[in-house]
Amino acid sequence: MPPNTTATTGDKPGKSGRKKGRKARLIVLVLVLAIIGGIAYGAYWSVSTVRASFPQTKGSITLQGLSGPVDVKRDGYGIPQIYASSPQDLFMAQGFVQAQDRFYEMDVRRHMTSGRLSEMFGKGQVQNDEFLRTMGWDRVAKQEYDKKLSSSTKQYLQAYAQGVNAYLKGRDAKDISLEYAALGFTNDYRPAPWTPVDSVSWLKAMAWDLRGNMQDEIDRALMTSRLGPKQIKDLYPDYPYSRNKPVVTQGQYDELAQAFEGGASGSSGSGFSGTGGEGSSLGSSDTSGISGSGTGGAGGLPAGSTAGGGSGNSSGSGVQSQLMGLRDVMQNLPAAVGVNGDGIGSNSWVVAGKYTITGKPLLANDPHLGAALPSVWYQMGLHCRAVSGKCPYDVTGYTFAGMPGVVIGHNQDIAWGMTNSGVDVTDLYLEKLSGDGYLRDDRTVPFRTRQETIKVAGGSSKTIVVRETENGPLLSDRDDELVQVGRKAQVTTAAPDRGDGYAISLKWTALQAGTTMDAVFALDKAKNWSDFRSAAAKFDVPSQNLVYADTDNNIGYTLPGRIPERAKNDDGSVPAPGWDSKYDWKGYIKQSELPYEYNPKRGYIVTANQAVVAQDKYPYTLTTDWGYGTRSQRIADLIQSKIDGGGKISTDDMRQMQMDNSSEIAKLLVPMLLKIDIRDKDVRQAQKLLEGWDYTQDADSAAAAYFNAVWRNILKLAFGNKLPKELRVKGQCLWVEPTGNTGPVDENTKVRECGERSADQAQPDGGDRWFEVVRNLVNQPNSDWWKAPASGTRPKADNRDQLFERALIDARWELTSKLGKDIDTWNWGRLHRLFLKNQTLGTDGPGFLKYILNRGPWKLSGGEAAVNASGWNAAGGYGVVWVPSMRMVVNLADLDKSKWINLTGASGHAFSAHYTDQTDKWAKGELLPWSYSAGAVDKSTSDTLVLKP
């Protein structure tokens, strides 16, 4: 692969030399392409082909439509700060500049959100397009643009699109990005003009990846083929409120006022300000989602249907087949900002000025998303030359290429960060089909239908019919397996006769037009807590934890979003019967009722995907599937340990907290593992690595490597091998009892059953849900979960300690295979590596394109559920699958002393100097200076481009 500064290939020690500069890279590229291109295609790309896509960053360019000149000042990392005299000019310039750096990424995103990937990449994307067209993200985005968004937001979106199109004007595709030149070998694709709806649609993709517990709904239902209700409950334990504190611990819900009161005593900020997004009713015209949520029948399915219990009854195979088909489609769908919605987390916290060295708040944020190249984030500043009512923007931070404004960052008065709340805003429904309609309260209702034509590069177009119920689109229509909806499902007399079977529909708040784009612009110009809360109220989807700080020494937290109010005793944890209107959503929780905190007495607020509020303090169920609070409690403990005794926290303290590598599960298990009597000297040698280990997962730690291997093997033996094939790693095969077998266990009746899930999404993934599962079981040493059959020369395990011994042995020989027998050469970084891949041609393109477009590996510290959350899936291996996608620390005392870093770089051009120029520093936990004031920006400016009218 093309060289990195410190990243290495294989397991050999990396070289520490610096890159040789753009000229050297271009020479290497031309040599590679000349050879490959000459052999494979009879031609080759020249230096001019590569240079053609690099942005002009100096001099001047004339843009029709500007009302005045705009300055684009880039620092040494290519990060732009834009200065204009009107908001229209500001956002037009933003569109132009982002297109310079990232248009190919923007183009792929809009094709994904509109279900038109096949137009770029051919027939291999037809199934994805069918699924995306069925959900209709771009149709909802158009409704938002036409009917919901404010006039000023529309003007800004139009200006942004105008800037993008000014960049595209007169350029051939190959002059825009190297990827288009590659696509030109097999495809005559040409980019179309950008539209405002293209920008709005991206919010739907972001919402999909941050959608909540939909995957858990599916997994719980799939588990019923091999596990009973008690076993499934073991694997989804209750949130540990007494140990891991929720976000909001101050204030409470006022039943009389029907509002949440979370302000400090006597604070003027204790009430809700702003009305955007309020409302609690669902009219009969609300047809964009599914209604209701089941409370669970046998094995976790809704009342009125069953899917077999732990005995392996096959009566549920139809429901499970349809759910697995849905899972297959979702698994193959390109991830927008995460790992297809799985394993997504984030950290954000704020410390009040009374506990900081500066005397003003410090705010940190690092969203955990799927590793992508280029990074999902784009850093920039948007500055009105003279801030006024007519031009109110002076904001800097992180945004998405393809969308105007700044999503996370700060302006002159406030700073804010975001983490995924995990609130449940999706429900799956079983639908009883009847002729050309579906059953609804004992009567047949006709489907709403529409035709969608999918154009396919290099092939024939395909037309599909999308069917929708009162609850939402039928996702089961999009897979051959799903068409057989529920045909084998056994149901009780309370459910309608299965006939042709049940379908699956989706109710999701993002399939209703909203105002999130308005919220982005409102946040960017907010001046205080009241403005911030009003802006947050417009943030419909995805529901996020918003953390706040301002220059007046206030800190706060609010939970915005369109969050459903479900029927009594329904918690949304399992698929529900769509034929019964009693499962309908009853409305949405009013914004004034949603939890918040303002200037809490403890002096800090931490959000890291833990529970938002304690169950006994809140009347609504926000979700049954919070993250379990491992990271949040560790961050809170680090803050508390620093301030106990009068200590003060600095910007660098916040950075060091972001890089905390401590393994909380190691703290629990290592003392037990060291008590296991190991007779094999080689295994004992590995076991001794854990003696005196401080539980930190540094890249150079042999103990971290061995412990994580032991942890992976504990999970596999205790849980993974007992899960149904639909949850296990694809290709992992076991001899198991048939699911329909009701007779005595007989080795001769066992069948070979192979896993079906991709390695980065299989279970058990080793996240903090599994921390909690094991924590609850370690004091039950004779639990059936600790039993494992013999395998090869390994004896069977009948209790916890025997299984731990097996895991210690298996881990020793697994690492011997991967890293060698000499434990002195072991380290966590050799196992835990990050590869950055171009998300289209870098994953599915020919080998030489992968070589050109991809980078890595980097050997990383951190791990699953650590604050430094370089996530890995224990079922699939040790490689990094999701990461802190950026890191920032905002200093409200002196904004120019704030710090930030991106996962990759500003550019999406493979051989730009700014393609991955931040990654080495990111991997080491370093942060870059973040200039904000005009004087600081001028000092850090390397290139200035003037855009002229």
PDB file of all heavy atoms in Angstrom, residues 778-807:
ATOM      1  N   VAL A 778     -20.513 -14.335  36.878  1.00  0.00           N
ATOM      2  CA  VAL A 778     -19.275 -14.856  37.484  1.00  0.00           C
ATOM      3  C   VAL A 778     -19.500 -15.353  38.904  1.00  0.00           C
ATOM      4  O   VAL A 778     -18.735 -16.199  39.399  1.00  0.00           O
ATOM      5  CB  VAL A 778     -18.137 -13.802  37.482  1.00  0.00           C
ATOM      6  CG1 VAL A 778     -17.607 -13.583  36.082  1.00  0.00           C
ATOM      7  CG2 VAL A 778     -18.587 -12.510  38.140  1.00  0.00           C
ATOM      8  N   ASN A 779     -20.521 -14.859  39.554  1.00  0.00           N
ATOM      9  CA  ASN A 779     -20.816 -15.338  40.910  1.00  0.00           C
ATOM     10  C   ASN A 779     -21.747 -16.536  40.911  1.00  0.00           C
ATOM     11  O   ASN A 779     -22.240 -16.951  41.963  1.00  0.00           O
ATOM     12  CB  ASN A 779     -21.412 -14.205  41.747  1.00  0.00           C
ATOM     13  CG  ASN A 779     -20.403 -13.097  42.001  1.00  0.00           C
ATOM     14  OD1 ASN A 779     -19.221 -13.361  42.209  1.00  0.00           O
ATOM     15  ND2 ASN A 779     -20.869 -11.853  41.964  1.00  0.00           N
ATOM     16  N   GLN A 780     -21.982 -17.073  39.722  1.00  0.00           N
ATOM     17  CA  GLN A 780     -22.741 -18.323  39.578  1.00  0.00           C
ATOM     18  C   GLN A 780     -21.831 -19.337  38.890  1.00  0.00           C
ATOM     19  O   GLN A 780     -21.998 -19.654  37.709  1.00  0.00           O
ATOM     20  CB  GLN A 780     -24.003 -18.095  38.743  1.00  0.00           C
ATOM     21  CG  GLN A 780     -24.929 -17.018  39.279  1.00  0.00           C
ATOM     22  CD  GLN A 780     -26.081 -16.731  38.326  1.00  0.00           C
ATOM     23  OE1 GLN A 780     -26.709 -17.653  37.802  1.00  0.00           O
ATOM     24  NE2 GLN A 780     -26.345 -15.451  38.086  1.00  0.00           N
ATOM     25  N   PRO A 781     -20.835 -19.871  39.586  1.00  0.00           N
ATOM     26  CA  PRO A 781     -19.794 -20.689  38.941  1.00  0.00           C
ATOM     27  C   PRO A 781     -20.315 -21.969  38.303  1.00  0.00           C
ATOM     28  O   PRO A 781     -19.626 -22.546  37.446  1.00  0.00           O
ATOM     29  CB  PRO A 781     -18.823 -20.998  40.089  1.00  0.00           C
ATOM     30  CG  PRO A 781     -19.622 -20.806  41.335  1.00  0.00           C
ATOM     31  CD  PRO A 781     -20.592 -19.710  41.035  1.00  0.00           C
ATOM     32  N   ASN A 782     -21.508 -22.399  38.666  1.00  0.00           N
ATOM     33  CA  ASN A 782     -22.050 -23.639  38.102  1.00  0.00           C
ATOM     34  C   ASN A 782     -23.180 -23.385  37.106  1.00  0.00           C
ATOM     35  O   ASN A 782     -23.918 -24.300  36.757  1.00  0.00           O
ATOM     36  CB  ASN A 782     -22.540 -24.550  39.233  1.00  0.00           C
ATOM     37  CG  ASN A 782     -21.404 -25.012  40.124  1.00  0.00           C
ATOM     38  OD1 ASN A 782     -20.356 -25.445  39.626  1.00  0.00           O
ATOM     39  ND2 ASN A 782     -21.589 -24.901  41.430  1.00  0.00           N
ATOM     40  N   SER A 783     -23.299 -22.149  36.665  1.00  0.00           N
ATOM     41  CA  SER A 783     -24.318 -21.836  35.665  1.00  0.00           C
ATOM     42  C   SER A 783     -24.091 -22.658  34.396  1.00  0.00           C
ATOM     43  O   SER A 783     -22.949 -22.949  34.008  1.00  0.00           O
ATOM     44  CB  SER A 783     -24.270 -20.347  35.313  1.00  0.00           C
ATOM     45  OG  SER A 783     -25.008 -20.063  34.138  1.00  0.00           O
ATOM     46  N   ASP A 784     -25.180 -22.998  33.729  1.00  0.00           N
ATOM     47  CA  ASP A 784     -25.061 -23.758  32.476  1.00  0.00           C
ATOM     48  C   ASP A 784     -24.296 -22.986  31.406  1.00  0.00           C
ATOM     49  O   ASP A 784     -23.756 -23.594  30.481  1.00  0.00           O
ATOM     50  CB  ASP A 784     -26.459 -24.110  31.938  1.00  0.00           C
ATOM     51  CG  ASP A 784     -27.115 -25.235  32.726  1.00  0.00           C
ATOM     52  OD1 ASP A 784     -26.406 -25.899  33.511  1.00  0.00           O
ATOM     53  OD2 ASP A 784     -28.337 -25.435  32.569  1.00  0.00           O
ATOM     54  N   TRP A 785     -24.266 -21.669  31.515  1.00  0.00           N
ATOM     55  CA  TRP A 785     -23.510 -20.885  30.523  1.00  0.00           C
ATOM     56  C   TRP A 785     -22.027 -21.245  30.553  1.00  0.00           C
ATOM     57  O   TRP A 785     -21.334 -21.090  29.543  1.00  0.00           O
ATOM     58  CB  TRP A 785     -23.677 -19.390  30.782  1.00  0.00           C
ATOM     59  CG  TRP A 785     -25.024 -18.841  30.419  1.00  0.00           C
ATOM     60  CD1 TRP A 785     -25.988 -18.384  31.266  1.00  0.00           C
ATOM     61  CD2 TRP A 785     -25.562 -18.695  29.093  1.00  0.00           C
ATOM     62  NE1 TRP A 785     -27.083 -17.954  30.563  1.00  0.00           N
ATOM     63  CE2 TRP A 785     -26.858 -18.135  29.223  1.00  0.00           C
ATOM     64  CE3 TRP A 785     -25.075 -18.983  27.809  1.00  0.00           C
ATOM     65  CZ2 TRP A 785     -27.671 -17.839  28.116  1.00  0.00           C
ATOM     66  CZ3 TRP A 785     -25.889 -18.704  26.709  1.00  0.00           C
ATOM     67  CH2 TRP A 785     -27.168 -18.140  26.864  1.00  0.00           C
ATOM     68  N   TRP A 786     -21.523 -21.691  31.685  1.00  0.00           N
ATOM     69  CA  TRP A 786     -20.092 -22.008  31.804  1.00  0.00           C
ATOM     70  C   TRP A 786     -19.763 -23.414  31.317  1.00  0.00           C
ATOM     71  O   TRP A 786     -18.605 -23.822  31.381  1.00  0.00           O
ATOM     72  CB  TRP A 786     -19.630 -21.846  33.247  1.00  0.00           C
ATOM     73  CG  TRP A 786     -19.817 -20.471  33.816  1.00  0.00           C
ATOM     74  CD1 TRP A 786     -20.500 -20.139  34.949  1.00  0.00           C
ATOM     75  CD2 TRP A 786     -19.306 -19.239  33.294  1.00  0.00           C
ATOM     76  NE1 TRP A 786     -20.454 -18.785  35.171  1.00  0.00           N
ATOM     77  CE2 TRP A 786     -19.727 -18.204  34.166  1.00  0.00           C
ATOM     78  CE3 TRP A 786     -18.538 -18.902  32.173  1.00  0.00           C
ATOM     79  CZ2 TRP A 786     -19.403 -16.858  33.958  1.00  0.00           C
ATOM     80  CZ3 TRP A 786     -18.225 -17.558  31.954  1.00  0.00           C
ATOM     81  CH2 TRP A 786     -18.659 -16.567  32.836  1.00  0.00           C
ATOM     82  N   LYS A 787     -20.732 -24.127  30.804  1.00  0.00           N
ATOM     83  CA  LYS A 787     -20.478 -25.472  30.306  1.00  0.00           C
ATOM     84  C   LYS A 787     -20.136 -25.434  28.823  1.00  0.00           C
ATOM     85  O   LYS A 787     -20.757 -24.716  28.051  1.00  0.00           O
ATOM     86  CB  LYS A 787     -21.693 -26.369  30.543  1.00  0.00           C
ATOM     87  CG  LYS A 787     -21.994 -26.582  32.029  1.00  0.00           C
ATOM     88  CD  LYS A 787     -23.203 -27.479  32.237  1.00  0.00           C
ATOM     89  CE  LYS A 787     -23.473 -27.668  33.732  1.00  0.00           C
ATOM     90  NZ  LYS A 787     -24.653 -28.523  33.971  1.00  0.00           N
ATOM     91  N   ALA A 788     -19.122 -26.226  28.454  1.00  0.00           N
ATOM     92  CA  ALA A 788     -18.702 -26.288  27.052  1.00  0.00           C
ATOM     93  C   ALA A 788     -18.244 -27.707  26.752  1.00  0.00           C
ATOM     94  O   ALA A 788     -17.584 -28.342  27.580  1.00  0.00           O
ATOM     95  CB  ALA A 788     -17.573 -25.301  26.777  1.00  0.00           C
ATOM     96  N   PRO A 789     -18.573 -28.221  25.581  1.00  0.00           N
ATOM     97  CA  PRO A 789     -18.185 -29.600  25.251  1.00  0.00           C
ATOM     98  C   PRO A 789     -16.694 -29.711  24.960  1.00  0.00           C
ATOM     99  O   PRO A 789     -16.015 -28.710  24.686  1.00  0.00           O
ATOM    100  CB  PRO A 789     -19.013 -29.897  24.002  1.00  0.00           C
ATOM    101  CG  PRO A 789     -19.207 -28.565  23.357  1.00  0.00           C
ATOM    102  CD  PRO A 789     -19.346 -27.586  24.489  1.00  0.00           C
ATOM    103  N   ALA A 790     -16.187 -30.927  25.017  1.00  0.00           N
ATOM    104  CA  ALA A 790     -14.793 -31.168  24.639  1.00  0.00           C
ATOM    105  C   ALA A 790     -14.603 -30.856  23.166  1.00  0.00           C
ATOM    106  O   ALA A 790     -15.527 -30.945  22.360  1.00  0.00           O
ATOM    107  CB  ALA A 790     -14.429 -32.619  24.918  1.00  0.00           C
ATOM    108  N   SER A 791     -13.376 -30.477  22.828  1.00  0.00           N
ATOM    109  CA  SER A 791     -13.066 -30.164  21.434  1.00  0.00           C
ATOM    110  C   SER A 791     -11.621 -30.577  21.171  1.00  0.00           C
ATOM    111  O   SER A 791     -10.688 -30.019  21.761  1.00  0.00           O
ATOM    112  CB  SER A 791     -13.255 -28.662  21.162  1.00  0.00           C
ATOM    113  OG  SER A 791     -12.872 -28.339  19.849  1.00  0.00           O
ATOM    114  N   GLY A 792     -11.454 -31.562  20.297  1.00  0.00           N
ATOM    115  CA  GLY A 792     -10.109 -32.045  20.027  1.00  0.00           C
ATOM    116  C   GLY A 792      -9.470 -32.580  21.286  1.00  0.00           C
ATOM    117  O   GLY A 792     -10.035 -33.435  21.977  1.00  0.00           O
ATOM    118  N   THR A 793      -8.299 -32.057  21.619  1.00  0.00           N
ATOM    119  CA  THR A 793      -7.612 -32.490  22.840  1.00  0.00           C
ATOM    120  C   THR A 793      -8.048 -31.691  24.063  1.00  0.00           C
ATOM    121  O   THR A 793      -7.602 -31.967  25.165  1.00  0.00           O
ATOM    122  CB  THR A 793      -6.089 -32.327  22.664  1.00  0.00           C
ATOM    123  OG1 THR A 793      -5.786 -30.953  22.411  1.00  0.00           O
ATOM    124  CG2 THR A 793      -5.590 -33.192  21.511  1.00  0.00           C
ATOM    125  N   ARG A 794      -8.918 -30.689  23.862  1.00  0.00           N
ATOM    126  CA  ARG A 794      -9.369 -29.864  24.976  1.00  0.00           C
ATOM    127  C   ARG A 794     -10.505 -30.581  25.713  1.00  0.00           C
ATOM    128  O   ARG A 794     -11.480 -31.014  25.103  1.00  0.00           O
ATOM    129  CB  ARG A 794      -9.881 -28.515  24.480  1.00  0.00           C
ATOM    130  CG  ARG A 794      -8.907 -27.758  23.597  1.00  0.00           C
ATOM    131  CD  ARG A 794      -7.803 -27.081  24.402  1.00  0.00           C
ATOM    132  NE  ARG A 794      -7.170 -26.066  23.581  1.00  0.00           N
ATOM    133  CZ  ARG A 794      -6.162 -26.282  22.751  1.00  0.00           C
ATOM    134  NH1 ARG A 794      -5.655 -27.506  22.656  1.00  0.00           N
ATOM    135  NH2 ARG A 794      -5.657 -25.304  22.030  1.00  0.00           N
ATOM    136  N   PRO A 795     -10.401 -30.681  27.042  1.00  0.00           N
ATOM    137  CA  PRO A 795     -11.470 -31.344  27.807  1.00  0.00           C
ATOM    138  C   PRO A 795     -12.713 -30.456  27.877  1.00  0.00           C
ATOM    139  O   PRO A 795     -12.654 -29.234  27.670  1.00  0.00           O
ATOM    140  CB  PRO A 795     -10.836 -31.531  29.185  1.00  0.00           C
ATOM    141  CG  PRO A 795      -9.850 -30.404  29.284  1.00  0.00           C
ATOM    142  CD  PRO A 795      -9.298 -30.203  27.899  1.00  0.00           C
ATOM    143  N   LYS A 796     -13.823 -31.055  28.225  1.00  0.00           N
ATOM    144  CA  LYS A 796     -15.043 -30.289  28.392  1.00  0.00           C
ATOM    145  C   LYS A 796     -14.942 -29.418  29.648  1.00  0.00           C
ATOM    146  O   LYS A 796     -14.110 -29.671  30.545  1.00  0.00           O
ATOM    147  CB  LYS A 796     -16.249 -31.209  28.485  1.00  0.00           C
ATOM    148  CG  LYS A 796     -16.308 -32.054  29.767  1.00  0.00           C
ATOM    149  CD  LYS A 796     -17.593 -32.858  29.814  1.00  0.00           C
ATOM    150  CE  LYS A 796     -17.671 -33.654  31.123  1.00  0.00           C
ATOM    151  NZ  LYS A 796     -18.965 -34.375  31.230  1.00  0.00           N
ATOM    152  N   ALA A 797     -15.794 -28.417  29.715  1.00  0.00           N
ATOM    153  CA  ALA A 797     -15.857 -27.558  30.902  1.00  0.00           C
ATOM    154  C   ALA A 797     -17.228 -27.725  31.535  1.00  0.00           C
ATOM    155  O   ALA A 797     -18.249 -27.687  30.845  1.00  0.00           O
ATOM    156  CB  ALA A 797     -15.631 -26.097  30.512  1.00  0.00           C
ATOM    157  N   ASP A 798     -17.247 -27.904  32.840  1.00  0.00           N
ATOM    158  CA  ASP A 798     -18.503 -28.077  33.561  1.00  0.00           C
ATOM    159  C   ASP A 798     -18.812 -26.914  34.495  1.00  0.00           C
ATOM    160  O   ASP A 798     -19.875 -26.886  35.108  1.00  0.00           O
ATOM    161  CB  ASP A 798     -18.466 -29.367  34.381  1.00  0.00           C
ATOM    162  CG  ASP A 798     -18.557 -30.601  33.501  1.00  0.00           C
ATOM    163  OD1 ASP A 798     -19.316 -30.551  32.505  1.00  0.00           O
ATOM    164  OD2 ASP A 798     -17.873 -31.594  33.808  1.00  0.00           O
ATOM    165  N   ASN A 799     -17.862 -25.978  34.625  1.00  0.00           N
ATOM    166  CA  ASN A 799     -18.102 -24.840  35.508  1.00  0.00           C
ATOM    167  C   ASN A 799     -17.261 -23.649  35.043  1.00  0.00           C
ATOM    168  O   ASN A 799     -16.505 -23.746  34.082  1.00  0.00           O
ATOM    169  CB  ASN A 799     -17.796 -25.193  36.966  1.00  0.00           C
ATOM    170  CG  ASN A 799     -16.374 -25.707  37.148  1.00  0.00           C
ATOM    171  OD1 ASN A 799     -15.417 -25.119  36.636  1.00  0.00           O
ATOM    172  ND2 ASN A 799     -16.232 -26.821  37.884  1.00  0.00           N
ATOM    173  N   ARG A 800     -17.386 -22.569  35.771  1.00  0.00           N
ATOM    174  CA  ARG A 800     -16.710 -21.325  35.387  1.00  0.00           C
ATOM    175  C   ARG A 800     -15.205 -21.486  35.314  1.00  0.00           C
ATOM    176  O   ARG A 800     -14.566 -21.103  34.310  1.00  0.00           O
ATOM    177  CB  ARG A 800     -17.065 -20.225  36.396  1.00  0.00           C
ATOM    178  CG  ARG A 800     -16.446 -18.867  36.102  1.00  0.00           C
ATOM    179  CD  ARG A 800     -16.473 -17.993  37.358  1.00  0.00           C
ATOM    180  NE  ARG A 800     -15.644 -18.561  38.411  1.00  0.00           N
ATOM    181  CZ  ARG A 800     -15.708 -18.197  39.693  1.00  0.00           C
ATOM    182  NH1 ARG A 800     -16.607 -17.302  40.078  1.00  0.00           N
ATOM    183  NH2 ARG A 800     -14.901 -18.747  40.581  1.00  0.00           N
ATOM    184  N   ASP A 801     -14.591 -22.035  36.355  1.00  0.00           N
ATOM    185  CA  ASP A 801     -13.130 -22.106  36.378  1.00  0.00           C
ATOM    186  C   ASP A 801     -12.592 -23.027  35.296  1.00  0.00           C
ATOM    187  O   ASP A 801     -11.526 -22.761  34.706  1.00  0.00           O
ATOM    188  CB  ASP A 801     -12.656 -22.563  37.760  1.00  0.00           C
ATOM    189  CG  ASP A 801     -12.839 -21.478  38.822  1.00  0.00           C
ATOM    190  OD1 ASP A 801     -13.209 -20.341  38.440  1.00  0.00           O
ATOM    191  OD2 ASP A 801     -12.643 -21.765  40.010  1.00  0.00           O
ATOM    192  N   GLN A 802     -13.287 -24.097  35.013  1.00  0.00           N
ATOM    193  CA  GLN A 802     -12.846 -24.989  33.934  1.00  0.00           C
ATOM    194  C   GLN A 802     -12.946 -24.289  32.575  1.00  0.00           C
ATOM    195  O   GLN A 802     -12.077 -24.454  31.719  1.00  0.00           O
ATOM    196  CB  GLN A 802     -13.670 -26.273  33.948  1.00  0.00           C
ATOM    197  CG  GLN A 802     -13.364 -27.196  35.118  1.00  0.00           C
ATOM    198  CD  GLN A 802     -14.248 -28.430  35.128  1.00  0.00           C
ATOM    199  OE1 GLN A 802     -15.067 -28.647  34.220  1.00  0.00           O
ATOM    200  NE2 GLN A 802     -14.103 -29.259  36.163  1.00  0.00           N
ATOM    201  N   LEU A 803     -14.001 -23.495  32.404  1.00  0.00           N
ATOM    202  CA  LEU A 803     -14.112 -22.762  31.142  1.00  0.00           C
ATOM    203  C   LEU A 803     -13.036 -21.684  31.047  1.00  0.00           C
ATOM    204  O   LEU A 803     -12.450 -21.467  29.973  1.00  0.00           O
ATOM    205  CB  LEU A 803     -15.508 -22.144  31.016  1.00  0.00           C
ATOM    206  CG  LEU A 803     -15.794 -21.496  29.652  1.00  0.00           C
ATOM    207  CD1 LEU A 803     -17.198 -21.855  29.159  1.00  0.00           C
ATOM    208  CD2 LEU A 803     -15.637 -19.985  29.703  1.00  0.00           C
ATOM    209  N   PHE A 804     -12.747 -21.021  32.154  1.00  0.00           N
ATOM    210  CA  PHE A 804     -11.671 -20.030  32.145  1.00  0.00           C
ATOM    211  C   PHE A 804     -10.332 -20.690  31.798  1.00  0.00           C
ATOM    212  O   PHE A 804      -9.516 -20.126  31.072  1.00  0.00           O
ATOM    213  CB  PHE A 804     -11.574 -19.340  33.508  1.00  0.00           C
ATOM    214  CG  PHE A 804     -12.625 -18.270  33.739  1.00  0.00           C
ATOM    215  CD1 PHE A 804     -13.667 -18.071  32.845  1.00  0.00           C
ATOM    216  CD2 PHE A 804     -12.570 -17.459  34.868  1.00  0.00           C
ATOM    217  CE1 PHE A 804     -14.624 -17.085  33.063  1.00  0.00           C
ATOM    218  CE2 PHE A 804     -13.523 -16.477  35.099  1.00  0.00           C
ATOM    219  CZ  PHE A 804     -14.555 -16.297  34.206  1.00  0.00           C
ATOM    220  N   GLU A 805     -10.110 -21.875  32.335  1.00  0.00           N
ATOM    221  CA  GLU A 805      -8.872 -22.596  32.007  1.00  0.00           C
ATOM    222  C   GLU A 805      -8.807 -22.888  30.508  1.00  0.00           C
ATOM    223  O   GLU A 805      -7.756 -22.712  29.885  1.00  0.00           O
ATOM    224  CB  GLU A 805      -8.794 -23.891  32.808  1.00  0.00           C
ATOM    225  CG  GLU A 805      -7.520 -24.687  32.536  1.00  0.00           C
ATOM    226  CD  GLU A 805      -7.457 -25.980  33.327  1.00  0.00           C
ATOM    227  OE1 GLU A 805      -8.412 -26.283  34.072  1.00  0.00           O
ATOM    228  OE2 GLU A 805      -6.446 -26.706  33.189  1.00  0.00           O
ATOM    229  N   ARG A 806      -9.926 -23.340  29.957  1.00  0.00           N
ATOM    230  CA  ARG A 806      -9.970 -23.592  28.509  1.00  0.00           C
ATOM    231  C   ARG A 806      -9.644 -22.323  27.732  1.00  0.00           C
ATOM    232  O   ARG A 806      -8.902 -22.346  26.739  1.00  0.00           O
ATOM    233  CB  ARG A 806     -11.376 -24.078  28.109  1.00  0.00           C
ATOM    234  CG  ARG A 806     -11.616 -25.556  28.229  1.00  0.00           C
ATOM    235  CD  ARG A 806     -11.079 -26.340  27.025  1.00  0.00           C
ATOM    236  NE  ARG A 806     -11.653 -25.904  25.755  1.00  0.00           N
ATOM    237  CZ  ARG A 806     -12.795 -26.348  25.239  1.00  0.00           C
ATOM    238  NH1 ARG A 806     -13.518 -27.235  25.899  1.00  0.00           N
ATOM    239  NH2 ARG A 806     -13.218 -25.911  24.070  1.00  0.00           N
ATOM    240  N   ALA A 807     -10.203 -21.205  28.166  1.00  0.00           N
ATOM    241  CA  ALA A 807      -9.975 -19.936  27.466  1.00  0.00           C
ATOM    242  C   ALA A 807      -8.518 -19.509  27.552  1.00  0.00           C
ATOM    243  O   ALA A 807      -7.946 -19.001  26.576  1.00  0.00           O
ATOM    244  CB  ALA A 807     -10.885 -18.854  28.044  1.00  0.00           C
TER     245      ALA A 807
END
